[in-house]
Structure formats: structure tokens, C-alpha cells
Amino acid sequence: MPFRIRTSKFRHVYGNPAKKEECYENVKITKSTHDSNFCAVNPKFLCVVPDTGGGGSFICLPLKQTGRVEFSVPRVCGHSGAVLDIKWSPFSDNIIASSSEDSTVKIWQIPDNLNKNLSEWQVDLHGHHRRVGYIEWHPTAENIILSAGFDHKCILWNVEQAEPISVISEHPDSIYSISWNTDGSLFCTTCKDKQIRVLDPRIGSVAMECQGHDGNRSSKSVFVDNNRIFTCGMTRSSSRELAVWDIRKFNKSLFNNTIDTSNGILLPYYDRDNRVMYLAGKGDSNIRYYEIDDQSNCYFLNAFMSSYPQRSLGVMPKRGCDTSRCEVMRFYKLHSGKDVIEPISMIVPRKVSSQFHSDIYPNTSSMLPSLTADEWIAGQNREPVMVSMMDGHVTNCPKTTSSTAIQNQQNDIIHQAPTITTYKTVNKQGMPPRASTIDVPRRTDKRPASLQNLKRLSTNEDYVSYSAVSEASENHTNKNGMTNGHKEEKKVTKRGWSPVSPTKDAMTNGFTGSEPEKFHVKKVWSTPPPSALPCQSPLNDVELQKAYFQQSEEIKSLKEQVKLKDKRIRQLEDELKILRTPSDCGPGQSDC
């Protein structure tokens, strides 16, 4: 039988490091021994965790601001402990989550022109009792994030409500990694007890588990699709190996291969569009990449070699890659020995032309969420909304009038997505239903009420329009059914409204009593002036949150003091009982 060479479009992919003027220099990278990325990238910003003397902060730089980074660069600071992991939201380039040694997860809104230190977070999530090592945003549902702490717990958070959905306590030891599957219905973990677990986040229990790598070092896992998991770890003889598992046949790995005998922890980075897995060892100077086929076989393609070891890598989303250069992946390498962040482009060697190569650029995940938080919690699953890298056309979302502007489709996706509603009517027996004398405006907005407080974390648009029946319009209706005056269009801000002149159509046609009143809700991030409402509290949301947690700490300390005093009272009561107990000694005898 003749020897056949397997063909692949990515066999000759090579790494192209950036020039010196395109790197980020003078960045004091953290010296923490934690095995997370410490770097998060999107098409607008580059965030990295620096080495700080005290507290927790990270640097957020505009992506185009290359060269030497000044020491006085603005920082995002608010954690009382060192930052361990940072992740950008997949649905907004300005929202980032951070986890820290202070046992909290914070959500930040990064302005486009950050020129001073940012210390006011948007959401503060408390629930872990020890440091939080890993966080992962949900791939399809908005405002859902998963965190794993060193208290052996995984907590699923609803960012809209700023409260946990479920607390999963199924791990007996430290958690090494967390990863969602494609539609976000399951997530997998690796643990210090050498078990690989697949968990149902809604129920909060283990769906299946199996024995993973036998080594004592940290192992990592990544969902390849909805049913397969890629893992990398150590063997019993301290050799690094990789494996592919099928959760439908979870008792044995489908593929297993030994890589080398180095002792650095392997960090996997998976390209779901091209099914290529990149492996970068912590402390290594190379990046290996493998192609995974439908039969779960991993074929070694090539390796990028350099002279300097890496601390970790930041990964640019596929929508930020340069298609004119045939760039299929871009890493941001954090050098271990130098204070440098170096971009590395993984390029398919092809003739550079204006032609779009659709075979290496399939549709990728877009910035549009497939589900809202309430829909996902209710039990719905949906694949990610895909977008073409050639013209920005969204392929598998509800049809809209415009297909070229992703930002204009955000509001349509929200209103066209299916919702779950429940109606309940209670009437006393023998009594007819009482007619209401007050005309209550009917709510036509199908989104949950929690979005009214934190809708800025849900969408990327500046205005959201909805309508509600106005009671005032009926009061102005005369006997002939005509209105006595024109209604004013109200511009609703975060804490008040101001009248705006009516539109031209309203002045021409007028309004009838049955027409709804239109409201334009604008997201306001800054605190409005005190004159917005007469009864406005002098404290803003961030100050109220800080005061609340400060009072919680004071209450906790008072409870501890009460416990100590109760303990002392019990001791005194025991001593008093001993003193009141009659002695059996006779007269003149000691009871010592």
C-alpha cells in the first residue's frame, strides 16, 4: 500500500512576531505563580495584570498604543488583593470581569478614553470564602459568568441581579480549570483529585466524571464542541501528555499522546472555527499546534520557536484578526525575563491578494447574545450567533432588515427571541371579577425588570425604545375622540426625565387615546446632577455598595465579639457553679 501524506490547510502555518515598535515595553508583569493567563485582549483594548506592591489592579491599554508604556499609565484598581484572572465579555468590548485574592469577582465598564485610575466597579460579586482563581463568561447567554475559587466551589452568577444562580460544591480539592461547551449547556473542570468532571450548571450537580491524567501537576481541559473535551496534563512518570475524551463514552480517552518530558504546565488555546489546538508551556519558548479531526485524532502540525520563555499568552478573538494577511490567530506573549508584551501572528502562507479566503475563515462567533439570562436560566439552549468575517453578515439569527451593521441588530435580537411567560388568575367563587377603576399603563417590554437597573451590561446600543399606554392621553381626549393637546415625548435617563419637543409626525397627525406613548431610554453611566430628582439620595450606587459591604463587615465583627462575650459568660457561670457546690471535706480539712 503506498504511503499517503495527510493534507491540511494549516500544515505550514508559521508564527510571525511583531516588530519592536509594535510591541508593548516597560510593562512590569506580575510574578504570581498562579497558572492563569494574566492577559485579556479584544479589538479595542489590551489588559494585563502588572506587578504591584499592594492591593490588586490591572492595566488597560488601547490596542494601538504600542511602544514604551509609562509608569503612570491609568490602572483599574478596586480589589484589596492581587488580581488572578481577567476576561473580556464576549458581547461587549468595554466590559471586563476580574477575580482576585480578596474572594470577589468584579465587573468593570472601561471607557474608550481612560485617562485616570478607574476605581468604581459596576457589579461586585461576593460568595467565595477563599481566593477566586478562574472566571469564564457564558458563550451564548448575556450577563452569565462562572467563577471557580480555592474554596473548592464553582459559583454561577447572574450579573443582572448581582446574585448567584447556583453554588456547586462537588469538588473535594482545588479546581485547576473551567470551560464551557459550545452552547453553554455544560461545563467541565479538572481538579487536584485527578478527576475530569462534566457538570450541569442549572442543576448544580455532576453529570459525569472519569479518571484524568495520573500526574501530580496541574491539568487543563477545554471543550472542543458539545460532546468532546481536550485535556493536557502529566503522566505518572512526569511526562507531558494530551488526550481527547467523548462525554458519551467517558470511561476511556479516544486519543492519548505523550509530548515531552518538560515540567512546565501546558496552557491550551483552541480555535473552534478551524479546529486547531495551540499548546503553550509555562516557561517554554515554543507554541505547538495540533489539528483535531472528526475522529478525535490530534495531528501535530508545526511549532513556533523563539529564544525567550513565555509567562502566558493573551488571545485575540477571531473577529480581530487581519484577513488580508491570512492571519488565523494572534497571541500576545508575556515574556518571563523581559518587561515586554510581544504580538505573534499565526499566518497561513498564501499569496497576498484582495481575495477573501473563505476556506480558512468560516463564520465565527459574533457579539450578539443568543439568549438572555432569564431565558437561559429557564432551560433554553441555543448555538452562538455566527457572523461572516468577509462582510459582517449574521447568518443564524432572526431575520432583520439590516444585515451589515451588527450594532443595529442588537435590539431586534432581544425583541425577537422567544420568551417564557406565566399567567395566574385568582377569583373568589360566586363573585364576578371587579372592574378596575384605574387605568394602569400596560407594560409591553418583555424583558425582565432586572434589566431596568443594569441594562447597560446587556446591550451595546445607546438608546432602547419601548411603548406603554399613557393614562394622560385618555384624560385629554374630548367628546369627538380628538386630543386637546399634543403629548410630550419623554427622554428618560437613569434617574429622571426631561421633556423633549414632539416630533414632526406627532405635530402633523396628532395622537388618539389608543395610541401608545413612546419612550426613549438612554443608558447613562455617569451620575446625573442632584437636580434630576427632588428626593434623590446624595450617594451614588458605588458608594451605597461600599457602605453596604462596610456595614456587613462591622456586623460580622460585632457578632464575633458577642460570641466571645457569651463564651466568657459561660465560663464564669461554670466557675460559679463550682464555688456553690458543697464540699465533702470535714471541718478543718482542705478541699484542695
Side-chain angles (χ1 to χ4, degrees):
M1 182 176 180
F3 179 74
R4 296 181 60 183
I5 299 177
R6 180 179 175 272
T7 60
S8 174
K9 299 186 292 292
F10 309 101
R11 175 178 295 276
H12 302 290
V13 171
Y14 66 95
N16 183 23
K19 299 179 181 178
K20 183 178 180 181
E21 55 270 15
E22 297 175 352
C23 298
Y24 304 85
E25 299 180 344
N26 195 32
V27 180
K28 304 292 183 180
I29 303 171
T30 179
K31 297 179 182 178
S32 174
T33 57
H34 187 58
D35 53 2
S36 67
N37 293 329
F38 295 110
C39 182
V41 192
N42 66 17
K44 293 176 66 175
F45 297 102
L46 167 68
C47 286
V48 62
V49 180
D51 188 17
T52 57
S57 64
F58 58 92
I59 298 174
C60 191
L61 299 171
L63 193 68
K64 297 181 180 179
Q65 187 179 332
T66 57
R68 182 178 178 84
V69 178
E70 298 296 333
F71 181 76
S72 60
V73 64
R75 301 192 178 195
V76 181
C77 48
H79 288 284
S80 59
V83 177
L84 298 180
D85 198 7
I86 50 178
K87 290 290 171 62
W88 285 106
S89 170
F91 309 121
S92 176
D93 286 341
N94 293 85
I95 296 176
I96 190 171
S98 61
S99 64
S100 171
E101 290 184 352
D102 61 2
S103 308
T104 64
V105 177
K106 288 180 170 58
I107 311 297
W108 308 84
Q109 171 77 12
I110 307 298
D112 292 335
N113 50 353
L114 183 64
N115 50 16
K116 62 178 181 180
N117 289 346
L118 180 63
S119 59
E120 296 183 357
W121 56 82
Q122 300 299 322
V123 181
D124 194 10
L125 305 176
H126 289 253
H128 289 280
H129 300 292
R130 296 183 63 185
R131 55 179 178 160
V132 185
Y134 307 97
I135 50 177
E136 284 290 339
W137 289 94
H138 196 278
T140 60
E142 57 182 352
N143 298 333
I144 299 292
I145 193 171
L146 177 68
S147 63
F150 283 81
D151 54 357
H152 312 161
K153 294 181 181 179
C154 292
I155 301 181
L156 190 67
W157 302 93
N158 185 352
V159 179
E160 295 178 6
Q161 304 285 352
E163 62 184 13
I165 300 172
S166 62
V167 179
I168 303 172
S169 304
E170 300 289 342
H171 298 83
D173 215 323
S174 299
I175 301 170
Y176 286 150
S177 66
I178 53 177
S179 175
W180 291 97
N181 64 346
T182 305
D183 60 2
S185 60
L186 301 170
F187 73 93
C188 65
T189 63
T190 54
C191 185
K192 193 175 181 179
D193 63 351
K194 304 176 185 179
Q195 294 288 321
I196 304 172
R197 293 177 175 87
V198 178
L199 300 102
D200 189 334
R202 300 184 182 94
I203 303 176
S205 61
V206 177
M208 55 203 73
E209 63 179 335
C210 72
Q211 178 70 24
H213 300 278
D214 297 329
N216 296 323
R217 301 294 301 275
S218 175
S219 60
K220 302 294 181 180
S221 63
V222 175
F223 255 110
V224 175
D225 49 31
N226 284 328
N227 297 318
R228 292 183 298 172
I229 300 174
F230 177 92
T231 62
C232 52
M234 295 282 188
T235 62
R236 188 169 299 176
S237 59
S238 298
S239 299
R240 297 193 294 189
E241 67 174 356
L242 57 88
V244 180
W245 313 75
D246 193 332
I247 62 177
R248 296 165 296 188
K249 303 175 183 179
F250 214 33
N251 55 352
K252 185 178 180 181
S253 62
L254 302 179
F255 179 84
N256 193 294
N257 185 26
T258 302
I259 301 175
D260 56 16
T261 58
S262 181
N263 58 356
I265 298 174
L266 290 173
L267 302 176
Y269 305 93
Y270 185 56
D271 181 6
R272 277 195 172 94
D273 301 331
N274 296 323
R275 298 191 297 182
V276 176
M277 180 67 69
Y278 298 85
L279 291 180
K282 185 178 178 181
D284 293 353
S285 57
N286 56 6
I287 302 174
R288 298 179 178 89
Y289 29 102
Y290 299 79
E291 188 173 8
I292 304 176
D293 62 0
D294 295 332
Q295 288 75 31
S296 301
N297 296 317
C298 292
Y299 297 97
F300 177 75
L301 296 176
N302 209 336
F304 168 75
M305 308 294 293
S306 65
S307 303
Y308 301 99
Q310 61 229 1
R311 174 68 180 80
S312 63
L313 298 176
V315 182
M316 171 67 73
K318 184 59 71 70
R319 54 188 171 86
C321 294
D322 188 0
T323 58
S324 62
R325 300 172 53 200
C326 297
E327 182 185 38
V328 293
M329 184 69 84
R330 188 191 307 167
F331 297 105
Y332 287 79
K333 178 179 177 179
L334 276 62
H335 286 252
S336 299
K338 303 188 298 181
D339 301 331
V340 176
I341 302 176
E342 179 186 21
I344 300 174
S345 299
M346 311 306 293
I347 298 176
V348 178
R350 291 190 178 182
K351 185 177 181 180
V352 179
S353 64
S354 59
Q355 181 183 2
F356 178 78
H357 302 276
S358 59
D359 56 336
I360 62 174
Y361 290 113
N363 294 338
T364 187
S365 299
S366 68
M367 295 179 63
L368 301 180
S370 301
L371 297 168
T372 62
D374 292 341
E375 289 172 351
W376 183 83
I377 295 171
Q380 297 188 38
N381 294 322
R382 194 175 298 170
E383 292 293 327
V385 177
M386 310 301 285
V387 61
S388 173
M389 295 190 65
M390 180 174 63
D391 54 2
H393 176 70
V394 179
T395 56
N396 59 339
C397 71
K399 295 181 180 180
T400 57
T401 56
S402 175
S403 61
T404 57
I406 295 179
Q407 185 175 1
N408 295 335
Q409 296 174 1
Q410 178 86 20
N411 193 32
D412 298 334
I413 294 294
I414 293 176
H415 289 290
Q416 295 182 16
T419 57
I420 298 175
T421 57
T422 303
Y423 299 94
K424 185 177 181 180
T425 308
V426 178
N427 290 327
K428 293 183 179 180
Q429 295 181 358
M431 294 184 65
R434 185 178 58 180
S436 177
T437 58
I438 301 175
D439 189 7
V440 181
R442 181 182 178 184
R443 182 186 173 192
T444 59
D445 192 359
K446 299 299 183 181
R447 292 175 297 172
S450 57
L451 285 180
Q452 303 301 323
N453 298 326
L454 289 174
K455 66 170 76 67
R456 58 183 179 272
L457 298 177
S458 304
T459 61
N460 300 326
E461 45 196 29
D462 295 329
Y463 290 88
V464 179
S465 299
Y466 65 95
S467 60
V469 176
S470 174
E471 178 184 0
S473 61
E474 296 183 359
N475 296 332
H476 289 284
T477 305
N478 55 18
K479 296 181 180 180
N480 298 327
M482 301 296 293
T483 57
N484 295 329
H486 301 290
K487 294 186 300 182
E488 288 183 334
E489 186 176 0
K490 297 179 182 179
K491 180 181 179 182
V492 183
T493 60
K494 185 178 180 181
R495 296 189 177 181
W497 65 272
S498 58
V500 182
S501 60
T503 59
K504 182 178 180 180
D505 296 336
M507 297 293 293
T508 304
N509 302 326
F511 293 93
T512 61
S514 61
E515 288 185 351
E517 182 180 3
K518 293 183 179 180
F519 291 85
H520 300 286
V521 180
K522 181 181 180 181
K523 294 184 228 181
V524 178
W525 291 94
S526 60
T527 305
S531 61
L533 282 178
C535 58
Q536 182 182 3
S537 174
L539 299 177
N540 56 20
D541 294 341
V542 177
E543 293 175 351
L544 288 174
Q545 288 181 357
K546 292 181 179 179
Y548 169 76
F549 292 118
Q550 184 178 1
Q551 291 179 0
S552 300
E553 294 294 334
E554 293 177 358
I555 293 173
K556 185 178 179 180
S557 61
L558 289 175
K559 288 182 179 179
E560 292 178 355
Q561 294 178 9
V562 170
K563 288 181 180 179
L564 292 176
K565 291 183 179 180
D566 290 343
K567 184 178 180 181
R568 180 57 180 165
I569 290 173
R570 288 193 296 268
Q571 291 178 354
L572 293 175
E573 289 178 349
D574 294 339
E575 293 178 359
L576 186 61
K577 289 180 180 180
I578 294 174
L579 292 176
R580 290 180 178 179
T581 303
S583 177
D584 297 334
C585 300
Q589 295 181 358
S590 174
D591 58 351
C592 296

